[in-house]
Amino acid sequence: MPLVVRNIPRADSGVIDALAGYGVATVHEAQGRIGLLAAYMRPIYQPAAIAGSAVTCSVAPGDNWTIHVAVEQCKAGDILVVAPTSPCEDGYFGDLLATSLKARGVRGLIIDAGVRDVAVLTEMGFPVWSKAIYAQGTVKETLGDVNLPMVCANALINPGDVIVADDDGVCVVRRADAAKVAEAAAKREANEGDKRARFEAGELGLDIYGMRERLAERGLKYVDEPPKG
Amino acid sequence: MPLVVRNIPRADSGVIDALAGYGVATVHEAQGRIGLLAAYMRPIYQPAAIAGSAVTCSVAPGDNWTIHVAVEQCKAGDILVVAPTSPCEDGYFGDLLATSLKARGVRGLIIDAGVRDVAVLTEMGFPVWSKAIYAQGTVKETLGDVNLPMVCANALINPGDVIVADDDGVCVVRRADAAKVAEAAAKREANEGDKRARFEAGELGLDIYGMRERLAERGLKYVDEPPKG
Amino acid sequence: MPLVVRNIPRADSGVIDALAGYGVATVHEAQGRIGLLAAYMRPIYQPAAIAGSAVTCSVAPGDNWTIHVAVEQCKAGDILVVAPTSPCEDGYFGDLLATSLKARGVRGLIIDAGVRDVAVLTEMGFPVWSKAIYAQGTVKETLGDVNLPMVCANALINPGDVIVADDDGVCVVRRADAAKVAEAAAKREANEGDKRARFEAGELGLDIYGMRERLAERGLKYVDEPPKG
Amino acid sequence: MPLVVRNIPRADSGVIDALAGYGVATVHEAQGRIGLLAAYMRPIYQPAAIAGSAVTCSVAPGDNWTIHVAVEQCKAGDILVVAPTSPCEDGYFGDLLATSLKARGVRGLIIDAGVRDVAVLTEMGFPVWSKAIYAQGTVKETLGDVNLPMVCANALINPGDVIVADDDGVCVVRRADAAKVAEAAAKREANEGDKRARFEAGELGLDIYGMRERLAERGLKYVDEPPKG
Amino acid sequence: MPLVVRNIPRADSGVIDALAGYGVATVHEAQGRIGLLAAYMRPIYQPAAIAGSAVTCSVAPGDNWTIHVAVEQCKAGDILVVAPTSPCEDGYFGDLLATSLKARGVRGLIIDAGVRDVAVLTEMGFPVWSKAIYAQGTVKETLGDVNLPMVCANALINPGDVIVADDDGVCVVRRADAAKVAEAAAKREANEGDKRARFEAGELGLDIYGMRERLAERGLKYVDEPPKG
Amino acid sequence: MPLVVRNIPRADSGVIDALAGYGVATVHEAQGRIGLLAAYMRPIYQPAAIAGSAVTCSVAPGDNWTIHVAVEQCKAGDILVVAPTSPCEDGYFGDLLATSLKARGVRGLIIDAGVRDVAVLTEMGFPVWSKAIYAQGTVKETLGDVNLPMVCANALINPGDVIVADDDGVCVVRRADAAKVAEAAAKREANEGDKRARFEAGELGLDIYGMRERLAERGLKYVDEPPKG
């Protein structure tokens, strides 16, 4: 029986905004290299970079009815996350739904399926990460669930988890971990700033990271000319 | 034996231009959700939006000879549609052929294969929807047909059918249906304009489309908290 | 045992720059339609066009350690070429490594795997051709080789070969052939300039290339109306 | 509005059986190298080889309702051909539908989507060529058409066309061409029999087909040792 | 920090064996059309059909070290489920690991990656469902986790969940739901038996399922001849 | 200009036969985890296991003319290796060419493209590893080279290199390395035999390989219950 969960916990908005600033690669590293959605999830325009609270929505293949149900559960600062119950690249979402979400303050859409009206979405500045761009329309016959845990593009998403998305892809951060991940990301970024200056000055990673000794231990051999044969 | 058909019927140019204005998603819906080419057909640059009469051209794998034959059959307002007789991603088409087509007033190229010189094509403003971008050259040894019905990217294209292409992909409209599809698209668009305003004002699709009763009939259940376990 | 070759021969820098100017499609044709890397190797931003000497680097799946070793072997005018020893789309390379390469005068990266921090790389103007964009981090546990011959995206690359890359993809030119390929490309381009003017003036390829007689020999038949049935 | 066409013309059953005997590769050659469905259409077990009259059936993504409608239109000697209106790999068809088709004398199924219960189908000896094997169930909410022309796996299929399918894939023969294609296939096979004996005796294709002169004309050069460098 | 959980709950062995008997398609339907792993998960030989308790194991790309750790946690009746932390098709598993698992009474392997030694595994009768068959070896440098919840081939797997796998693919059943799913599957199968007899006798699904009235409501129209034009 | 090299060196036949016996996975490991062709290269029937000397043959897309030229260069014990100059899945090879090769004592075919007549090839016992099975016919208009070094399925193949192919895929061994690789494979296999017996007896890889200490060093932690939260 299809279910909609009305109340979901959300992470602190300051923490969410901080995660948006660090970006997907840094956040993913900061939480131990976990949480990435599949590499085929690409933004419809670049650059784009957002973070927000996940409202989850499962849909039947070729059927976007549940998205209309999910919109009502979205609040300002949320990101709608949609996954079909079997793989489908139809265009579940277009400019009218984007207008509706934008009117509610929703920051973007993550959809493991197709999207359409991308020229209008680009003009509107409503960012979408999707598996495909495809004009194929959908029906409204079969219902999925809203705000239940769900796998999207090979990652588990719980309602209220923090989604971070930018030109590198999409990452999920468990709500309970968001603050400590933001802290770890801040440290990582500070550290990277130092390194960036040293790299700009021509220092090598081999020296900055002190790799030379370990390379020798692993038997790395330098020769002046390529071996014969 | 390879064949070129010289005279093909074309749709009314006013109707064609109207279809260009409505765009792929709307035209596809207006004609009953049919006519889309495969989702892998993508524009080489965005935004791009055209409509025109199909001149069809089948080519051997790795052989672009027939394209030269097809160019002569193209008139102002046409779109050249090319499909290989077996799947191939070679670069059948580049800036010289584009120059030739542009000189004839051709509006763009749809090719279920590869294209090259895309930087120049972009500068020229000659739009192409293709399966791939690939520099691989082709030979001129084997002939295909021009202006016979043909399957391209999983859609049947008859010569003279109307092709509509934009950032959402490519759609074909049967020539005989073009006027009535344009009318249906006009109605759809007018209707969407009304809805857009309501969505912008914060109304929900659930209410605009009157979905709540049918959702209840289907057993959709709202709960405040996620179910245990 | 992992190996680094320090001294590699490089082609003449004037020849390399000339090849950059002709671009991938022309260079590939000029050397007899060989040398292209797989069509899935795409630039992270467009337009982008470079040529340079290949420094080759093989890496373990999910492990970018050897890239740090390879950076030290890169000189101004080089292009770093990276291939995993089994297919992998992880994000081996990001903005810090790009900063390091840029500081050394390296012109770009070719990687048969994933890359991340693409928004920053785009801002920096550091061009990359890759199989994927993916934030997935890598480890530093297993070593590959630097400056040994290597297959990358289905093409053989020797250290010191010339890499030409633009919006059409990536092509390799053997170092010893670079000068003569540049000459052949120059002739081809001159020839294309003439043709372009004729195409712009409305002449047909059928006439410019003198194809009509051979088409007739191959049995191409022109009819005014489509055949029945 | 969904439509079922009750009466479709069928080819002569003797001709159909003859085509089954020649197999896909020969039939495809005999009709001028046309008519193949996409290479991803594979049999669920091997060997399998059938021919029959196409009953066509379009289905919505994730919805097999129309297949039940189509079954009633199938007669002994038919092959059911199913294509989704947008790409879908769900398991539209299983052992109960196969039992139903088998009871009517239907020879097999061609489906540009998924199938399930393949262990039972294999035991039953009911052959299927499909895009995928996938247990995913489907709904019964949206109708397609039965016995209208349809594109399936990149090939146009008219109701009553002859389908030939074996371990090499699937081929369609227009109903009106079936007799003449069968004749051409018979000639081709006779011719192949002669050649097979000559190949078995050690003769070379170069001599059997008289290729040596044309190879020399094309500049093929034989050398005893590989060229230097 | 990598973690191994030693004690995991398992479902009742009678229930597990019952689920094996019903097979993937039936179990998936019986639990409401959920739980399937991606369609690319295919058995290395057919027929094969097992069910067992999941021992979960995440691995680094190209690194099978953690599998050795996981083996120790496997008991008779278990199924080892392995997922890489980023997509990888390397051959993580071969005949020696299969020998080790078989010695412990493990029933099979589910791996969202590659496997090798498939000829030996087939002879041994040790069933594997994998994404790829690939001889590529792996290293032992980086650790994953054993018996933590994990996404495998787009499905969430908890340690102790019941895995059902056969020629149609792989399905997961939550441990707590196993008994009630087995009951629902039993009912479904009984029901299917009745239907099978009716289908064999030539009755139509349209009548068995009472579909005719609803088809008419949906506007399905029967015509004797195809519409013109 | 297309070239055929007549004399190619071949490895010792005893060494080649020994490599066949060890199989792809072992040979690949024995030579340092190199030499595998792409995982999409699959046998048309299983089990199949051969080794032989590579006769290399490049072909134009959709054009199998050069294969006829290559056949003449094949001797007993050889394996024909074919790669298209751009990706193509056409059926380049069927039962007549197989008959011709078999008559010459050729052991099999490796082709980075399509093959057809697979039912007959299976009956004949002529093994083929290919990218696709596809009935699509090819032309004879454009020539490639025979017995020049060539990249096939992402691996460099020199004429005379040893090809080892079995159900796990295809591996190339440099001719000059064949004897020493065979020796290393022999050692590896002997070693595996010992281990197999220990695994059968229930010993764990953790103990056989002495991994426990290093696991502890890497921080692997065992807990009895899953962590909370």
PDB file of all heavy atoms in Angstrom, chain E residues 4 6-7 72 95 116-118 136-138 140-141, chain F residues 28-29 33 36 168 196 212 214 218 221 223-224:
ATOM      1  N   VAL E   4      34.199  -5.738  11.194  1.00  0.00           N
ATOM      2  CA  VAL E   4      33.576  -7.041  10.963  1.00  0.00           C
ATOM      3  C   VAL E   4      32.569  -7.302  12.084  1.00  0.00           C
ATOM      4  O   VAL E   4      32.951  -7.259  13.259  1.00  0.00           O
ATOM      5  CB  VAL E   4      34.628  -8.182  10.975  1.00  0.00           C
ATOM      6  CG1 VAL E   4      33.947  -9.527  10.737  1.00  0.00           C
ATOM      7  CG2 VAL E   4      35.718  -7.930   9.957  1.00  0.00           C
ATOM      8  N   ARG E   6      30.445 -10.010  13.919  1.00  0.00           N
ATOM      9  CA  ARG E   6      30.523 -11.480  14.023  1.00  0.00           C
ATOM     10  C   ARG E   6      29.170 -12.160  14.092  1.00  0.00           C
ATOM     11  O   ARG E   6      28.935 -13.174  13.444  1.00  0.00           O
ATOM     12  CB  ARG E   6      31.313 -11.860  15.274  1.00  0.00           C
ATOM     13  CG  ARG E   6      32.804 -11.792  15.111  1.00  0.00           C
ATOM     14  CD  ARG E   6      33.457 -12.751  16.109  1.00  0.00           C
ATOM     15  NE  ARG E   6      34.893 -12.505  16.166  1.00  0.00           N
ATOM     16  CZ  ARG E   6      35.494 -11.704  17.037  1.00  0.00           C
ATOM     17  NH1 ARG E   6      34.787 -11.066  17.948  1.00  0.00           N
ATOM     18  NH2 ARG E   6      36.804 -11.557  16.999  1.00  0.00           N
ATOM     19  N   ASN E   7      28.287 -11.598  14.885  1.00  0.00           N
ATOM     20  CA  ASN E   7      26.994 -12.270  15.084  1.00  0.00           C
ATOM     21  C   ASN E   7      25.913 -11.588  14.279  1.00  0.00           C
ATOM     22  O   ASN E   7      25.617 -10.421  14.508  1.00  0.00           O
ATOM     23  CB  ASN E   7      26.585 -12.236  16.559  1.00  0.00           C
ATOM     24  CG  ASN E   7      27.594 -12.974  17.416  1.00  0.00           C
ATOM     25  OD1 ASN E   7      28.297 -13.852  16.935  1.00  0.00           O
ATOM     26  ND2 ASN E   7      27.694 -12.583  18.686  1.00  0.00           N
ATOM     27  N   GLU E  72      35.446 -16.238   6.756  1.00  0.00           N
ATOM     28  CA  GLU E  72      35.430 -16.760   8.128  1.00  0.00           C
ATOM     29  C   GLU E  72      34.085 -16.540   8.825  1.00  0.00           C
ATOM     30  O   GLU E  72      33.740 -17.259   9.755  1.00  0.00           O
ATOM     31  CB  GLU E  72      36.552 -16.099   8.947  1.00  0.00           C
ATOM     32  CG  GLU E  72      36.762 -16.747  10.295  1.00  0.00           C
ATOM     33  CD  GLU E  72      37.934 -16.127  11.068  1.00  0.00           C
ATOM     34  OE1 GLU E  72      38.249 -14.927  10.862  1.00  0.00           O
ATOM     35  OE2 GLU E  72      38.542 -16.838  11.866  1.00  0.00           O
ATOM     36  N   ASP E  95      38.389 -20.109  -8.171  1.00  0.00           N
ATOM     37  CA  ASP E  95      38.097 -21.462  -7.684  1.00  0.00           C
ATOM     38  C   ASP E  95      38.587 -21.723  -6.259  1.00  0.00           C
ATOM     39  O   ASP E  95      37.970 -22.498  -5.529  1.00  0.00           O
ATOM     40  CB  ASP E  95      38.611 -22.516  -8.666  1.00  0.00           C
ATOM     41  CG  ASP E  95      40.116 -22.494  -8.816  1.00  0.00           C
ATOM     42  OD1 ASP E  95      40.735 -21.452  -8.509  1.00  0.00           O
ATOM     43  OD2 ASP E  95      40.673 -23.507  -9.267  1.00  0.00           O
ATOM     44  N   ARG E 116      36.111 -15.144 -11.893  1.00  0.00           N
ATOM     45  CA  ARG E 116      36.920 -15.897 -12.863  1.00  0.00           C
ATOM     46  C   ARG E 116      36.984 -17.370 -12.484  1.00  0.00           C
ATOM     47  O   ARG E 116      36.378 -17.745 -11.490  1.00  0.00           O
ATOM     48  CB  ARG E 116      38.316 -15.292 -12.980  1.00  0.00           C
ATOM     49  CG  ARG E 116      39.118 -15.312 -11.695  1.00  0.00           C
ATOM     50  CD  ARG E 116      40.425 -14.547 -11.909  1.00  0.00           C
ATOM     51  NE  ARG E 116      41.338 -14.718 -10.802  1.00  0.00           N
ATOM     52  CZ  ARG E 116      42.581 -14.251 -10.759  1.00  0.00           C
ATOM     53  NH1 ARG E 116      43.058 -13.549 -11.784  1.00  0.00           N
ATOM     54  NH2 ARG E 116      43.347 -14.452  -9.716  1.00  0.00           N
ATOM     55  N   ASP E 117      37.683 -18.146 -13.311  1.00  0.00           N
ATOM     56  CA  ASP E 117      37.710 -19.611 -13.140  1.00  0.00           C
ATOM     57  C   ASP E 117      36.312 -20.182 -13.313  1.00  0.00           C
ATOM     58  O   ASP E 117      35.933 -21.168 -12.662  1.00  0.00           O
ATOM     59  CB  ASP E 117      38.263 -20.010 -11.757  1.00  0.00           C
ATOM     60  CG  ASP E 117      39.680 -19.517 -11.504  1.00  0.00           C
ATOM     61  OD1 ASP E 117      40.456 -19.417 -12.484  1.00  0.00           O
ATOM     62  OD2 ASP E 117      40.011 -19.233 -10.336  1.00  0.00           O
ATOM     63  N   VAL E 118      35.529 -19.622 -14.203  1.00  0.00           N
ATOM     64  CA  VAL E 118      34.119 -20.025 -14.289  1.00  0.00           C
ATOM     65  C   VAL E 118      33.956 -21.458 -14.802  1.00  0.00           C
ATOM     66  O   VAL E 118      32.957 -22.113 -14.482  1.00  0.00           O
ATOM     67  CB  VAL E 118      33.265 -19.045 -15.139  1.00  0.00           C
ATOM     68  CG1 VAL E 118      33.184 -17.687 -14.467  1.00  0.00           C
ATOM     69  CG2 VAL E 118      33.759 -18.943 -16.561  1.00  0.00           C
ATOM     70  N   GLN E 136      40.780 -10.595 -14.741  1.00  0.00           N
ATOM     71  CA  GLN E 136      41.634  -9.581 -14.101  1.00  0.00           C
ATOM     72  C   GLN E 136      41.823  -9.832 -12.599  1.00  0.00           C
ATOM     73  O   GLN E 136      40.868  -9.851 -11.842  1.00  0.00           O
ATOM     74  CB  GLN E 136      41.009  -8.203 -14.309  1.00  0.00           C
ATOM     75  CG  GLN E 136      41.752  -7.052 -13.642  1.00  0.00           C
ATOM     76  CD  GLN E 136      43.077  -6.753 -14.319  1.00  0.00           C
ATOM     77  OE1 GLN E 136      43.153  -6.742 -15.544  1.00  0.00           O
ATOM     78  NE2 GLN E 136      44.131  -6.564 -13.546  1.00  0.00           N
ATOM     79  N   GLY E 137      43.067  -9.974 -12.182  1.00  0.00           N
ATOM     80  CA  GLY E 137      43.382 -10.217 -10.780  1.00  0.00           C
ATOM     81  C   GLY E 137      43.240  -8.972  -9.917  1.00  0.00           C
ATOM     82  O   GLY E 137      43.155  -7.853 -10.420  1.00  0.00           O
ATOM     83  N   THR E 138      43.221  -9.192  -8.623  1.00  0.00           N
ATOM     84  CA  THR E 138      43.040  -8.098  -7.665  1.00  0.00           C
ATOM     85  C   THR E 138      44.180  -8.104  -6.647  1.00  0.00           C
ATOM     86  O   THR E 138      44.891  -9.096  -6.500  1.00  0.00           O
ATOM     87  CB  THR E 138      41.696  -8.264  -6.921  1.00  0.00           C
ATOM     88  OG1 THR E 138      41.629  -9.598  -6.416  1.00  0.00           O
ATOM     89  CG2 THR E 138      40.530  -8.012  -7.847  1.00  0.00           C
ATOM     90  N   LYS E 140      45.583  -6.979  -2.502  1.00  0.00           N
ATOM     91  CA  LYS E 140      45.133  -7.143  -1.101  1.00  0.00           C
ATOM     92  C   LYS E 140      45.771  -6.037  -0.277  1.00  0.00           C
ATOM     93  O   LYS E 140      46.720  -6.256   0.460  1.00  0.00           O
ATOM     94  CB  LYS E 140      45.543  -8.533  -0.587  1.00  0.00           C
ATOM     95  CG  LYS E 140      44.733  -9.678  -1.214  1.00  0.00           C
ATOM     96  CD  LYS E 140      45.233 -11.048  -0.834  1.00  0.00           C
ATOM     97  CE  LYS E 140      44.382 -12.134  -1.471  1.00  0.00           C
ATOM     98  NZ  LYS E 140      44.336 -12.072  -2.964  1.00  0.00           N
ATOM     99  N   GLU E 141      45.246  -4.805  -0.426  1.00  0.00           N
ATOM    100  CA  GLU E 141      45.847  -3.635   0.228  1.00  0.00           C
ATOM    101  C   GLU E 141      44.857  -2.827   1.055  1.00  0.00           C
ATOM    102  O   GLU E 141      45.251  -2.167   2.002  1.00  0.00           O
ATOM    103  CB  GLU E 141      46.451  -2.681  -0.836  1.00  0.00           C
ATOM    104  CG  GLU E 141      47.568  -3.270  -1.678  1.00  0.00           C
ATOM    105  CD  GLU E 141      48.877  -3.392  -0.905  1.00  0.00           C
ATOM    106  OE1 GLU E 141      48.934  -2.941   0.267  1.00  0.00           O
ATOM    107  OE2 GLU E 141      49.842  -3.957  -1.457  1.00  0.00           O
TER     108      GLU E 141
ATOM    109  N   HIS F  28      47.591 -14.944 -16.905  1.00  0.00           N
ATOM    110  CA  HIS F  28      47.539 -13.495 -16.645  1.00  0.00           C
ATOM    111  C   HIS F  28      48.234 -13.155 -15.329  1.00  0.00           C
ATOM    112  O   HIS F  28      49.012 -12.191 -15.233  1.00  0.00           O
ATOM    113  CB  HIS F  28      46.064 -13.068 -16.659  1.00  0.00           C
ATOM    114  CG  HIS F  28      45.719 -11.869 -15.855  1.00  0.00           C
ATOM    115  ND1 HIS F  28      46.001 -10.595 -16.268  1.00  0.00           N
ATOM    116  CD2 HIS F  28      45.099 -11.738 -14.650  1.00  0.00           C
ATOM    117  CE1 HIS F  28      45.568  -9.732 -15.371  1.00  0.00           C
ATOM    118  NE2 HIS F  28      45.015 -10.399 -14.375  1.00  0.00           N
ATOM    119  N   GLU F  29      47.991 -13.947 -14.298  1.00  0.00           N
ATOM    120  CA  GLU F  29      48.667 -13.723 -13.021  1.00  0.00           C
ATOM    121  C   GLU F  29      50.171 -13.993 -13.157  1.00  0.00           C
ATOM    122  O   GLU F  29      51.002 -13.246 -12.631  1.00  0.00           O
ATOM    123  CB  GLU F  29      48.105 -14.653 -11.933  1.00  0.00           C
ATOM    124  CG  GLU F  29      46.682 -14.334 -11.508  1.00  0.00           C
ATOM    125  CD  GLU F  29      46.618 -13.137 -10.558  1.00  0.00           C
ATOM    126  OE1 GLU F  29      47.660 -12.671 -10.078  1.00  0.00           O
ATOM    127  OE2 GLU F  29      45.497 -12.667 -10.313  1.00  0.00           O
ATOM    128  N   ARG F  33      49.873  -9.859 -14.067  1.00  0.00           N
ATOM    129  CA  ARG F  33      48.552  -9.222 -14.214  1.00  0.00           C
ATOM    130  C   ARG F  33      48.490  -8.246 -15.369  1.00  0.00           C
ATOM    131  O   ARG F  33      47.981  -7.126 -15.229  1.00  0.00           O
ATOM    132  CB  ARG F  33      48.149  -8.512 -12.919  1.00  0.00           C
ATOM    133  CG  ARG F  33      47.852  -9.512 -11.856  1.00  0.00           C
ATOM    134  CD  ARG F  33      47.310  -8.889 -10.608  1.00  0.00           C
ATOM    135  NE  ARG F  33      47.096  -9.955  -9.636  1.00  0.00           N
ATOM    136  CZ  ARG F  33      46.931  -9.781  -8.351  1.00  0.00           C
ATOM    137  NH1 ARG F  33      46.925  -8.566  -7.848  1.00  0.00           N
ATOM    138  NH2 ARG F  33      46.741 -10.792  -7.553  1.00  0.00           N
ATOM    139  N   LEU F  36      45.312  -8.841 -20.521  1.00  0.00           N
ATOM    140  CA  LEU F  36      43.930  -9.228 -20.765  1.00  0.00           C
ATOM    141  C   LEU F  36      43.261  -8.337 -21.808  1.00  0.00           C
ATOM    142  O   LEU F  36      43.420  -7.120 -21.790  1.00  0.00           O
ATOM    143  CB  LEU F  36      43.112  -9.135 -19.486  1.00  0.00           C
ATOM    144  CG  LEU F  36      43.388 -10.202 -18.445  1.00  0.00           C
ATOM    145  CD1 LEU F  36      42.504  -9.949 -17.227  1.00  0.00           C
ATOM    146  CD2 LEU F  36      43.104 -11.583 -19.013  1.00  0.00           C
ATOM    147  N   ASP F 168      37.079 -17.652 -19.204  1.00  0.00           N
ATOM    148  CA  ASP F 168      37.303 -16.417 -18.447  1.00  0.00           C
ATOM    149  C   ASP F 168      37.651 -15.237 -19.338  1.00  0.00           C
ATOM    150  O   ASP F 168      37.771 -14.103 -18.841  1.00  0.00           O
ATOM    151  CB  ASP F 168      38.450 -16.612 -17.444  1.00  0.00           C
ATOM    152  CG  ASP F 168      38.056 -17.509 -16.284  1.00  0.00           C
ATOM    153  OD1 ASP F 168      36.851 -17.741 -16.079  1.00  0.00           O
ATOM    154  OD2 ASP F 168      38.959 -17.983 -15.576  1.00  0.00           O
ATOM    155  N   ARG F 196      44.535 -25.668  -2.627  1.00  0.00           N
ATOM    156  CA  ARG F 196      43.184 -26.186  -2.838  1.00  0.00           C
ATOM    157  C   ARG F 196      42.861 -27.263  -1.802  1.00  0.00           C
ATOM    158  O   ARG F 196      41.784 -27.267  -1.210  1.00  0.00           O
ATOM    159  CB  ARG F 196      43.022 -26.717  -4.256  1.00  0.00           C
ATOM    160  CG  ARG F 196      41.591 -27.139  -4.593  1.00  0.00           C
ATOM    161  CD  ARG F 196      41.396 -27.417  -6.079  1.00  0.00           C
ATOM    162  NE  ARG F 196      41.525 -26.208  -6.875  1.00  0.00           N
ATOM    163  CZ  ARG F 196      42.515 -25.930  -7.697  1.00  0.00           C
ATOM    164  NH1 ARG F 196      43.498 -26.791  -7.875  1.00  0.00           N
ATOM    165  NH2 ARG F 196      42.552 -24.797  -8.359  1.00  0.00           N
ATOM    166  N   ARG F 212      46.387 -12.487   9.247  1.00  0.00           N
ATOM    167  CA  ARG F 212      45.746 -11.914  10.440  1.00  0.00           C
ATOM    168  C   ARG F 212      46.521 -10.738  11.039  1.00  0.00           C
ATOM    169  O   ARG F 212      45.937  -9.738  11.463  1.00  0.00           O
ATOM    170  CB  ARG F 212      45.524 -12.997  11.501  1.00  0.00           C
ATOM    171  CG  ARG F 212      44.476 -14.015  11.047  1.00  0.00           C
ATOM    172  CD  ARG F 212      44.074 -14.942  12.195  1.00  0.00           C
ATOM    173  NE  ARG F 212      43.281 -16.057  11.717  1.00  0.00           N
ATOM    174  CZ  ARG F 212      41.948 -16.029  11.572  1.00  0.00           C
ATOM    175  NH1 ARG F 212      41.272 -14.946  11.883  1.00  0.00           N
ATOM    176  NH2 ARG F 212      41.302 -17.079  11.119  1.00  0.00           N
ATOM    177  N   ARG F 214      48.568  -8.612   9.575  1.00  0.00           N
ATOM    178  CA  ARG F 214      48.489  -7.408   8.739  1.00  0.00           C
ATOM    179  C   ARG F 214      47.089  -6.776   8.804  1.00  0.00           C
ATOM    180  O   ARG F 214      46.955  -5.552   8.774  1.00  0.00           O
ATOM    181  CB  ARG F 214      48.851  -7.784   7.292  1.00  0.00           C
ATOM    182  CG  ARG F 214      49.148  -6.585   6.414  1.00  0.00           C
ATOM    183  CD  ARG F 214      49.892  -6.971   5.134  1.00  0.00           C
ATOM    184  NE  ARG F 214      49.722  -5.953   4.127  1.00  0.00           N
ATOM    185  CZ  ARG F 214      48.983  -6.072   3.022  1.00  0.00           C
ATOM    186  NH1 ARG F 214      48.394  -7.222   2.751  1.00  0.00           N
ATOM    187  NH2 ARG F 214      48.862  -5.075   2.174  1.00  0.00           N
ATOM    188  N   ARG F 218      46.206  -2.933   9.978  1.00  0.00           N
ATOM    189  CA  ARG F 218      45.385  -1.988   9.218  1.00  0.00           C
ATOM    190  C   ARG F 218      44.155  -1.528   9.995  1.00  0.00           C
ATOM    191  O   ARG F 218      43.320  -0.807   9.465  1.00  0.00           O
ATOM    192  CB  ARG F 218      44.922  -2.642   7.901  1.00  0.00           C
ATOM    193  CG  ARG F 218      46.015  -2.896   6.894  1.00  0.00           C
ATOM    194  CD  ARG F 218      46.650  -1.566   6.443  1.00  0.00           C
ATOM    195  NE  ARG F 218      47.734  -1.843   5.526  1.00  0.00           N
ATOM    196  CZ  ARG F 218      47.630  -1.706   4.195  1.00  0.00           C
ATOM    197  NH1 ARG F 218      46.506  -1.285   3.666  1.00  0.00           N
ATOM    198  NH2 ARG F 218      48.654  -1.993   3.428  1.00  0.00           N
ATOM    199  N   LYS F 221      38.641  -4.228  12.842  1.00  0.00           N
ATOM    200  CA  LYS F 221      38.087  -4.425  14.169  1.00  0.00           C
ATOM    201  C   LYS F 221      36.935  -5.417  14.094  1.00  0.00           C
ATOM    202  O   LYS F 221      36.085  -5.329  13.213  1.00  0.00           O
ATOM    203  CB  LYS F 221      37.570  -3.075  14.673  1.00  0.00           C
ATOM    204  CG  LYS F 221      37.384  -3.008  16.168  1.00  0.00           C
ATOM    205  CD  LYS F 221      37.047  -1.587  16.588  1.00  0.00           C
ATOM    206  CE  LYS F 221      36.050  -1.609  17.726  1.00  0.00           C
ATOM    207  NZ  LYS F 221      35.478  -0.278  17.963  1.00  0.00           N
ATOM    208  N   VAL F 223      33.607  -6.926  15.943  1.00  0.00           N
ATOM    209  CA  VAL F 223      32.638  -6.679  17.014  1.00  0.00           C
ATOM    210  C   VAL F 223      31.576  -7.767  16.946  1.00  0.00           C
ATOM    211  O   VAL F 223      31.316  -8.334  15.887  1.00  0.00           O
ATOM    212  CB  VAL F 223      31.974  -5.295  16.893  1.00  0.00           C
ATOM    213  CG1 VAL F 223      33.008  -4.186  17.062  1.00  0.00           C
ATOM    214  CG2 VAL F 223      31.244  -5.153  15.567  1.00  0.00           C
ATOM    215  N   ASP F 224      30.955  -8.005  18.081  1.00  0.00           N
ATOM    216  CA  ASP F 224      29.956  -9.071  18.098  1.00  0.00           C
ATOM    217  C   ASP F 224      28.612  -8.600  17.543  1.00  0.00           C
ATOM    218  O   ASP F 224      27.880  -9.368  16.945  1.00  0.00           O
ATOM    219  CB  ASP F 224      29.781  -9.639  19.511  1.00  0.00           C
ATOM    220  CG  ASP F 224      30.943 -10.561  19.853  1.00  0.00           C
ATOM    221  OD1 ASP F 224      31.628 -11.019  18.912  1.00  0.00           O
ATOM    222  OD2 ASP F 224      31.184 -10.798  21.040  1.00  0.00           O
TER     223      ASP F 224
END
